[in-house]
Amino acid sequence: MSTHLSDQELLAYMANNTMFANLNQPLLETLLSVATLKKFESNQIILRQGEKAEFLFMLVVGRAKLTQLTADGTQILIRYIGPGQEGGTTSLLPGTLHPMTVQTMDKGAMLMWPQAVLADFIPNHPQIAINALQLLAQRNSELQRRYQELLTECVAQRLAHALLRLVTQAGHVVAEGVLIDLPLSREDLAQMAGTTLYTVSRTLSFWEQAGLIESGRQRILIKKVEELEALTTNSYNGSI
Amino acid sequence: MSTHLSDQELLAYMANNTMFANLNQPLLETLLSVATLKKFESNQIILRQGEKAEFLFMLVVGRAKLTQLTADGTQILIRYIGPGQEGGTTSLLPGTLHPMTVQTMDKGAMLMWPQAVLADFIPNHPQIAINALQLLAQRNSELQRRYQELLTECVAQRLAHALLRLVTQAGHVVAEGVLIDLPLSREDLAQMAGTTLYTVSRTLSFWEQAGLIESGRQRILIKKVEELEALTTNSYNGSI
DNA sequence: CGAGTTGTTGAAATGACTCAATGTTAGTGG
DNA sequence: CCACTAACATTGAGTCATTTCAACAACTCG
């Protein structure tokens, strides 16, 4: 995919994102006109956790990884984002800090809105604030769900949940099942499920033997999505 | 405390809550005029998890407990709220469901705003939406912090964190330290820290022997807050 | 005073982590 | 095109924190 996009395409991405939902076309165009299109290279850090939140962004080409570093230095992986998905939502509120680091995975481009510019739109277009509210409410409920998982589920269930989330976010249907279209290492999965790369490796091996998945280096193919779903609810945990 | 309050007092509670911050006095009064003051008994369920979110509320007398039930039936304790604290924040967005159950602990009273009424204020007073955004952003970052805790810390550290949160929320300074003014059972603490009542009991016994706390039936007095804080950061975990 | 709730504590079981050794794959430069 | 290297993955053995189960002790309330 080229990093050159028409305004048409950019507007389409915006219209499909909750952040810009229910806004009329002229307003979308105005918002686009105050945005900056910034290109980025692979493996570049866009936002660093702890820095002042100065802008909202939306990827239009390429992918990025959202991570958090805990006080003791453990890195956790929040989620992956792709074209049409936004980040830095808290930037609407002046004086906040970025809760996570955003790191690009490919060469790509994004639209950027400075905090002050966007905030100026709210008095006349409160829908923007409502949209942001909607977005934050979604994030909140997803986080709540993950918090619950962590509190009550065993590693195998959490890993199954993490894979299922990846399926809906980055799953491509192929002949034998669903392929997760991301360069995922065991370490990445461990950071998502809150465990170690060793336990991930063991669990995936077990599932591979059971015919649920097929995994190789940085590659995961899920052959039986329903059975993986069953693992998340069942009391049976696919441990070794 | 009586369950009878003047408009003065109600307005003061509102003005101090982030939800109604930066609103002028006339607007606060208008908002109060569209609210309903509802009295409740002890141990009454105000909102049930999964029900349609139909109103925002703010306690003015009494306390309540916010809990969540996970898919497998485990109950988790999110937090306690008291006078001046709100709940049902997601009610600003039409069509959402309550993410948690709210249960009263004492006889008391609260102000209630139906979703539709509040939503009507936003077009002319976008500050309300911004306030809600602020509130959700706070909740979000607190949840993130707790998610991280769960992911990286051991039980003793999580329990220490839970106690410290309770200190700031419901701590009363007394001669010997800080008394947590809530009828907290070991089971309650276990639900907050994501562990079992047995481990809570063991850990508290250990801390009691170390002179950090003093705990009895439904009663916890923290004698050395700083040392408890040290436990949360240190690599040393106060295990048995 | 008795019944039910709440808290304590020991012993055994266990899930997950750590460490260490080894295998596998992709990419690089000769 | 092959050998080399670094990154990624697997697996076993040992260890540890935490849970589970069970028995008992203490407190509260009608």
Side-chain angles (χ1 to χ4, degrees):
Chain A
M1 200 188 290
S2 117
T3 53
H4 211 81
L5 289 159
S6 69
D7 281 10
Q8 283 305 326
E9 291 171 288
L10 295 177
L11 285 167
Y13 275 133
M14 285 172 67
N16 281 322
N17 188 302
T18 306
M19 191 70 211
F20 301 105
N22 301 312
L23 302 180
N24 58 40
Q25 198 64 17
L27 179 55
L28 281 178
E29 283 166 19
T30 312
L31 282 167
L32 180 56
S33 74
V34 296
T36 325
L37 183 71
K38 191 190 162 190
K39 296 186 179 179
F40 53 77
E41 295 303 308
S42 175
N43 231 41
Q44 200 177 326
I45 288 177
I46 299 182
L47 301 177
R48 205 177 292 270
Q49 177 179 356
E51 276 175 0
K52 255 186 83 182
E54 279 164 334
F55 57 89
L56 173 89
F57 72 90
M58 185 177 79
L59 290 191
V60 288
V61 183
R63 295 168 298 178
K65 207 177 181 176
L66 309 192
T67 59
Q68 274 189 331
L69 212 62
T70 64
D72 69 330
T74 319
Q75 185 175 275
I76 64 180
L77 212 163
I78 308 291
R79 65 173 177 281
Y80 292 95
I81 57 172
Q85 296 186 288
E86 84 302 324
T89 332
T90 47
S91 306
L92 268 189
L93 301 164
T96 52
L97 302 180
H98 283 300
M100 50 188 99
T101 295
V102 180
Q103 189 171 186
T104 61
M105 301 172 68
D106 323 283
K107 196 167 139 76
M110 63 181 184
L111 289 171
M112 285 171 57
W113 289 269
Q115 186 266 318
V117 171
L118 217 49
D120 284 348
F121 277 85
I122 294 183
N124 291 322
H125 306 283
Q127 182 66 39
I128 295 174
I130 295 177
N131 287 342
L133 208 52
Q134 189 93 44
L135 213 51
L136 255 180
Q138 275 171 31
R139 294 267 170 275
N140 219 55
S141 90
E142 196 204 309
L143 195 55
Q144 283 274 10
R145 223 174 314 127
R146 286 174 72 166
Y147 181 78
Q148 281 190 10
E149 270 178 33
L150 212 53
L151 213 49
T152 59
E153 296 177 356
C154 65
V155 168
Q157 289 176 297
R158 270 144 50 196
L159 185 58
H161 266 130
L163 285 179
L164 289 170
R165 264 193 293 275
L166 287 168
V167 164
T168 56
Q169 279 170 30
H172 279 203
V173 178
V174 294
E176 286 197 296
V178 186
L179 183 69
I180 294 171
D181 197 19
L182 283 169
L184 274 179
S185 70
R186 300 293 180 262
E187 176 64 37
D188 290 330
L189 283 171
Q191 287 177 7
M192 297 192 82
T195 178
T196 61
L197 74 104
Y198 309 104
T199 307
V200 169
S201 180
R202 275 180 241 274
T203 311
L204 291 186
S205 296
F206 182 81
W207 286 344
E208 183 143 21
Q209 269 171 30
L212 283 179
I213 62 164
E214 215 177 275
S215 79
R217 192 188 175 79
Q218 314 248 52
R219 202 187 76 97
I220 297 188
L221 172 76
I222 289 151
K223 290 161 80 176
K224 299 181 182 167
V225 179
E226 326 75 45
E227 290 196 31
L228 207 60
E229 268 162 0
L231 280 183
T232 63
T233 48
N234 272 2
S235 57
Y236 164 76
N237 58 58
S239 70
I240 302 103
Chain B
M1 202 188 290
S2 121
T3 53
H4 211 79
L5 290 161
S6 68
D7 280 11
Q8 282 308 323
E9 290 171 288
L10 295 178
L11 286 167
Y13 276 135
M14 285 173 66
N16 281 321
N17 188 301
T18 305
M19 190 70 212
F20 301 104
N22 301 312
L23 303 179
N24 58 39
Q25 198 65 17
L27 179 54
L28 281 178
E29 283 167 20
T30 312
L31 281 167
L32 180 56
S33 74
V34 297
T36 325
L37 184 72
K38 192 189 158 189
K39 297 186 177 178
F40 53 78
E41 295 303 307
S42 173
N43 231 40
Q44 200 177 325
I45 288 176
I46 299 181
L47 300 177
R48 205 177 290 271
Q49 177 179 356
E51 276 175 0
K52 254 185 82 182
E54 281 164 332
F55 57 88
L56 173 90
F57 71 90
M58 185 177 80
L59 290 191
V60 288
V61 183
R63 295 168 299 179
K65 205 177 181 175
L66 310 193
T67 59
Q68 275 189 330
L69 213 60
T70 65
D72 69 329
T74 319
Q75 185 175 274
I76 63 178
L77 214 163
I78 307 292
R79 65 173 175 280
Y80 292 95
I81 57 171
Q85 295 186 287
E86 82 303 324
T89 332
T90 47
S91 307
L92 269 189
L93 301 165
T96 52
L97 302 180
H98 283 300
M100 50 188 99
T101 296
V102 180
Q103 189 171 186
T104 61
M105 300 172 68
D106 324 281
K107 193 166 143 75
M110 62 182 183
L111 288 171
M112 287 171 55
W113 289 269
Q115 186 267 316
V117 172
L118 217 49
D120 284 348
F121 276 86
I122 294 183
N124 290 321
H125 306 283
Q127 182 66 40
I128 295 174
I130 295 176
N131 287 341
L133 207 53
Q134 189 93 46
L135 213 49
L136 255 180
Q138 274 170 31
R139 293 267 170 278
N140 219 55
S141 89
E142 195 204 309
L143 196 53
Q144 285 272 14
R145 221 173 317 126
R146 286 174 72 165
Y147 182 78
Q148 282 190 8
E149 269 178 36
L150 214 50
L151 213 50
T152 59
E153 296 178 355
C154 68
V155 169
Q157 288 175 299
R158 270 144 48 197
L159 185 58
H161 266 130
L163 286 179
L164 289 170
R165 266 193 292 274
L166 287 167
V167 163
T168 55
Q169 280 168 29
H172 280 203
V173 178
V174 293
E176 287 199 296
V178 185
L179 183 69
I180 293 172
D181 197 20
L182 283 169
L184 275 179
S185 71
R186 299 294 181 261
E187 176 63 37
D188 290 329
L189 284 170
Q191 287 177 7
M192 297 193 81
T195 177
T196 60
L197 73 102
Y198 308 103
T199 307
V200 170
S201 179
R202 275 181 241 275
T203 311
L204 292 186
S205 295
F206 182 80
W207 286 344
E208 183 143 21
Q209 268 171 29
L212 282 179
I213 62 163
E214 215 177 277
S215 79
R217 193 188 177 79
Q218 315 247 52
R219 200 188 77 97
I220 296 188
L221 172 76
I222 290 149
K223 290 161 79 178
K224 299 182 181 165
V225 179
E226 326 74 47
E227 291 198 30
L228 208 59
E229 267 162 1
L231 280 183
T232 63
T233 46
N234 271 2
S235 57
Y236 164 76
N237 57 57
S239 70
I240 303 103

